[in-house]
Amino acid sequence: MARSLSRSLSRSLPLALVALALLALPGLMQAGLPPGPAEQLAAAAPRWGWRNVSCPACRVLFGALDLALQLEPNVARVGRLASRLCQDMRLARPPVCRQAVQLFQHDVVAAWARSVLRPPEACGLLLGPRCGHWDILGDWNLSLPSAPKPPVRPPEPPPPGAPTARILFLTDLHWDRQYVPGSAAACPDPLCCRGDPRNAPGAAGFWGTYGKCDLPLHTIDALLAQLPNDSAGDTGNGTAAFAAAYWTGDIPAHDVWQQSRGDQLRALRTVTALLRARLGGLRVFPAVGNHEATPVNAFPPPYVRGNQSAAWLYDAMAEAWQGWLPPSALHTLRFEGTIAAQFFGHTHLDEFELFYDEETLSRPVSIAFVAPSVTTYINLNPGYRVYEVAGAYPGSSHAVLDHETFILNLTEANAAPPGTPPRWQRLYRAREAYGLPTAFPGDWDRLVRRLQDDERLFQRFWFHLHKGHPPREPCGGPCKAALLCALRSGRAADPALCRPLRPALPFPRIQELWKRRQLC
């Protein structure tokens, strides 16, 4: 999750920082500073590429910007320049540019004025480590209880006949209340499948669409409707009843340039009510996603009070979810020997990340299971995950024993006659598909090494990674090296974790390829 957060920030900050940098251009010229850096930046802007800007130019601009905004931050001035920049560079249609700037400008200026990033950090983010150090994964000081770390015991399979439990895992639903079947599936905006129906070739399908599109509510409802909602029984498609559901957020759509707090709260309450109705008395353990806030990714620290705080969202979530979360859920504690599993979403893909011991970086101690999204965004089938875990019995580890991924094949579903219920099907079962003796961290560590040498197995993983709808472009050598390093590197910035795979690329090049992956 830490790497995912880093990716999200590295995607959303550059445009805002470009706008803020251009704010400093007139001041630089009037102050009599050498015109070279400013002219260089202005010349590079129409081509949109920070790599065209030199490191000295970047540092001069952000140094002046940092001083100017700390002395007199002017939201309106920043907004006008950012909107003009967005339109001149054709980053989006003018209405999208204007709405995005209006939504983000107050938070961007407030954050910069509070000195979140210094000039070397900003230039390191935009130009790379050759120009400065930017590390959102830097060391944090945490106070731990005085109790010693429990002894580490290698994981063991449950004894024969021991009970197991099935956990439903839902993530990244991304309901688009403006989704219209038959509308344009291709558009210049960041989110499509909206607007008037045209029913032309390539139009949005009834159940969803491959493209820059999220889901209509009836597709999410169809997913939930075919699940068991009591403590016994079977739906006929291999999904036995669940002991609980984990729901890791990202409820609203990707129309991040036009969202209001009212939009976000409507999405929260509508989808929460749908889950309650369809899942009955099943225990649901929800978590907040980065898209719940507006502006997207905006989660101010606790010391930010008043209208700019996140209280409006946290209070609404507490009210909507209070029936699911008992007070005891607020008190948690995490060591290696007491963490049963780690469950994540956010990337929309079907993947995982390994964690190793701090002493040698060689012993796999935990795995972050990253489940696929319910939404189609971008070019994916809708999907969800079911985990099989050790059940409740004396001495149970509650560890993950296996998992299954289910999808809705959009080509098949949209081609069916109107009124035909969509058929959700199991795409694969992990241990069966990858030949894993168990699903413990050591098994996934060995799988990464096998994926490096077994091309057929790697292509199977690539197919599953994209929920049965992989990109047309094959994953060649550089792509494979970056992907395998990402699977092994829960701590993304550490080249030592990638080194045992003998990558053919330098680690900085692998990091560049990581950043190019689609972010959500």
Side-chain angles (χ1 to χ4, degrees), residues 149-215:
K149 177 180 177 179
V152 176
R153 296 185 178 88
E156 295 182 358
T164 61
R166 291 167 64 80
I167 306 294
L168 171 65
F169 193 91
L170 301 171
T171 187
D172 299 278
L173 278 66
H174 290 292
W175 165 44
D176 184 4
R177 61 187 178 88
Q178 297 186 42
Y179 185 100
V180 178
S183 61
C187 70
D189 293 345
L191 186 64
C192 305
C193 296
R194 327 173 99 200
D196 297 330
R198 302 178 182 178
N199 296 315
F206 181 79
W207 296 107
T209 302
Y210 301 125
K212 296 186 298 181
C213 304
D214 282 317
L215 287 180

Side-chain angles (χ1 to χ4, degrees), residues 49-194:
W50 272 95
R51 292 174 184 168
N52 296 324
V53 183
S54 70
C55 184
C58 180
R59 291 204 172 198
V60 168
L61 289 172
F62 278 105
L65 168 68
D66 182 58
L67 178 60
L69 281 183
Q70 289 194 53
L71 292 176
E72 187 180 1
N74 189 310
V75 174
R77 189 179 180 194
V78 171
R80 288 194 299 270
L81 287 171
S83 181
R84 189 184 70 193
L85 173 68
C86 178
Q87 296 177 55
D88 290 347
M89 295 173 60
R90 297 186 179 182
L91 298 181
R93 295 186 303 111
V96 175
C97 287
R98 288 193 295 269
Q99 292 177 65
V101 168
Q102 183 68 27
L103 185 62
F104 281 86
Q105 61 185 5
H106 288 278
D107 288 67
V108 169
V109 171
W112 190 273
R114 288 178 179 269
S115 304
V116 173
L117 290 177
R118 299 271 58 80
E121 294 172 322
C123 294
L125 166 63
L126 296 171
L127 300 181
R130 61 187 174 84
C131 193
H133 179 69
W134 181 76
D135 181 16
I136 195 171
L137 306 180
D139 293 337
W140 293 0
N141 293 322
L142 298 176
S143 298
L144 296 177
S146 58
K149 177 180 177 179
V152 176
R153 296 185 178 88
E156 295 182 358
T164 61
R166 291 167 64 80
I167 306 294
L168 171 65
F169 193 91
L170 301 171
T171 187
D172 299 278
L173 278 66
H174 290 292
W175 165 44
D176 184 4
R177 61 187 178 88
Q178 297 186 42
Y179 185 100
V180 178
S183 61
C187 70
D189 293 345
L191 186 64
C192 305
C193 296
R194 327 173 99 200

Side-chain angles (χ1 to χ4, degrees), residues 283-313:
R283 293 181 301 164
V284 178
F285 297 92
V288 62
N290 69 299
H291 274 266
E292 266 65 87
T294 184
V296 66
N297 301 324
F299 292 91
Y303 59 76
V304 176
R305 304 287 184 178
N307 191 50
Q308 278 195 304
S309 77
W312 65 273
L313 176 61

